Amino acid sequence: MNVLVLNCGSSSVKFQIIATDLEQIALNADKRLARGTIERIGGEAIVALSAEGQDPVRSTASLRDTRAAVELIIRWACSSDSGISQLNTIADIHAVGHRVVHGGERFAHSILITDEVLRWIEDCIDLAPLHNPTNIKGIQAAKEVFGAGLPQVAVFDTAFHQTLPDYAYLYALPYQLYRRYRVRRYGFHGTSHRYVAYRFRQLRNIARSDTNLITLHLGNGCSVAAIRAGDSIDTSMGLTPLEGLVMGTRSGDIDPAICDFIGGKEGLSPQEVETLLNKQSGLLGISGLTNDMRELLAEAEENNDRRARLAIEIFCYRARKYIGAYLAGVGGADAIVFTGGIGENSAEIRARICAGLNWLGLDLDDERNAMTSDGREGLITKDGSRLAAYVIPTDEELLIARDTVRCVHGVAQRY
Ligand code: ADP
């Protein structure tokens, strides 16, 4: 099956086309055919499209909405321009898999989208007002482009964390707030944590039930997950993706009383305070310079900028604190895994997060750490290190394509 994987944002669409089926999944022989991004939809959009193994072709196009973007992707993919021999007409796309941010408590697995499922996803809008509506628009756009007959599957960021026990997902708030409004920890980046946990057990050749680890997804958004016997048992993001680690522009954990305090002092409404925590905090807020870790590292190195150094230090310290907490939560893990743009590429940040963890038995191998970036995967601790560390580039799209195939065939998904 050729699966179109869509990740629809408010003004962007990221996509991949992956050829896979049940046999290819079993053999780990899925084939990526194409990938690309379309940004600034609604005006003169910026388009980058590439067939596998080719450099991206960049262009601009006037695109009104998500539907126009999906049409452009399909027109390109099926044209001789793309050179993808498996795709000649729209009928060569056999299913669509969507990344959907919030599945609430209803979705612990991916699911074939029906009218009823779409209504349930709409019910979760309350919990993710920025994300779920744009994901729904993507589903509707694909339905318009491909027709109602083409199978579409929703893969939720929250689903992998539905195994959290109640003592980990409940906040210490009046219980009726959970009962009335489902206020609890949901966690996000689930497909990424799930992918690297899956890949880890492949690399180690171990069973799911023997998989005990801590996964750190460090990108613009950052989160940690504690995984015991293959299941997520705790994660740092909460009701929304604001809680937990320091992120590019998000604060992560703060004392909740700060909201009212700064609201009063600065004359900000609750919405403005939330915007401040989401958009003006984190690495950007501390440094006053940028949310981009690469630029911060350069600033710290070249100009010894004090606040750039501080932002990096707070980022790494918070991550290290969570590793400690989750090692206790798991009851002893075998490894920690780094992924996401920062986790995959920055040996320096990984080294700083791991600094001082030798007493736990984490013995970083500087050479392996330095060599593992740019999409490379592997062990970065010394052989025999009691707590191992790995870099595993994430591949959420692959899991979305595989879940899509499994849902279409009605077979159980492997988490
Ligand atoms: P998103 O969460 O939006 O998918 P990414 O996972 O691509 O983002 O991560 C983006 C972050 O990764 C940025 O802060 C960027 O600076 C950082 N990053 C990418 N490459 C490097 C690198 N070589 N060194 C340090 N940080 C890097």
Side-chain angles (χ1 to χ4, degrees), residues 14 217-221 291-294 297 340-342 345-346:
K14 290 189 194 150
H217 179 110
L218 308 176
N220 270 314
N291 64 328
D292 191 305
M293 184 58 93
R294 239 172 325 195
L297 286 165
I342 300 172
N345 294 302
S346 181

Side-chain angles (χ1 to χ4, degrees), residues 26 60 76 79 117 143 153 192 222 247 271 311 372 375 378:
T60 57
W76 167 79
S79 73
V117 168
K143 194 170 169 184
V153 168
S192 178
C222 300
M247 313 184 208
Q271 284 76 18
T372 313

Side-chain angles (χ1 to χ4, degrees), residues 244-398:
L245 296 180
V246 175
M247 313 184 208
T249 60
R250 288 176 236 161
S251 62
D253 296 337
I254 58 162
D255 179 343
I258 290 174
C259 297
D260 205 37
F261 185 82
I262 55 177
K265 294 279 182 201
E266 299 266 314
L268 301 174
S269 68
Q271 284 76 18
E272 286 168 330
V273 172
E274 196 176 321
T275 304
L276 181 144
L277 297 178
N278 269 304
K279 302 256 161 86
Q280 295 151 26
S281 300
L283 296 175
L284 171 67
I286 302 162
S287 69
L289 291 172
T290 174
N291 64 328
D292 191 305
M293 184 58 93
R294 239 172 325 195
E295 289 173 20
L296 279 181
L297 286 165
E299 241 349 277
E301 160 109 18
E302 288 157 24
N303 302 323
N304 200 18
D305 185 278
R306 190 181 72 85
R307 277 168 56 189
R309 277 193 286 112
L310 194 56
I312 295 166
E313 204 168 343
I314 296 173
F315 180 93
C316 295
Y317 177 63
R318 179 85 54 90
R320 195 180 324 128
K321 264 204 317 196
Y322 264 95
I323 292 172
Y326 285 180
L327 282 172
V330 174
D334 299 317
I336 61 176
V337 176
F338 291 98
T339 194
I342 300 172
E344 291 168 26
N345 294 302
S346 181
E348 182 173 345
I349 295 296
R350 293 192 301 252
R352 293 178 69 149
I353 290 174
C354 294
L357 293 184
N358 298 57
W359 65 275
L360 269 174
L362 192 152
D363 200 359
L364 197 70
D365 184 313
D366 293 333
E367 202 174 317
R368 283 181 182 164
N369 185 36
M371 278 173 14
T372 313
S373 63
D374 295 327
R376 274 189 293 273
E377 166 184 86
L379 182 70
I380 56 167
T381 39
K382 295 205 169 112
D383 295 336
S385 179
R386 197 170 70 237
L387 179 64
Y390 283 79
V391 173
I392 300 182
T394 196
D395 196 347
E396 292 156 276
E397 291 81 4
L398 180 71

Side-chain angles (χ1 to χ4, degrees), residues 191-206:
T191 312
S192 178
H193 291 292
R194 179 182 153 210
Y195 174 78
V196 297
Y198 149 79
R199 190 66 200 140
F200 171 79
R201 59 179 191 262
Q202 266 193 336
L203 289 174
R204 281 278 187 104
N205 197 17
I206 56 173

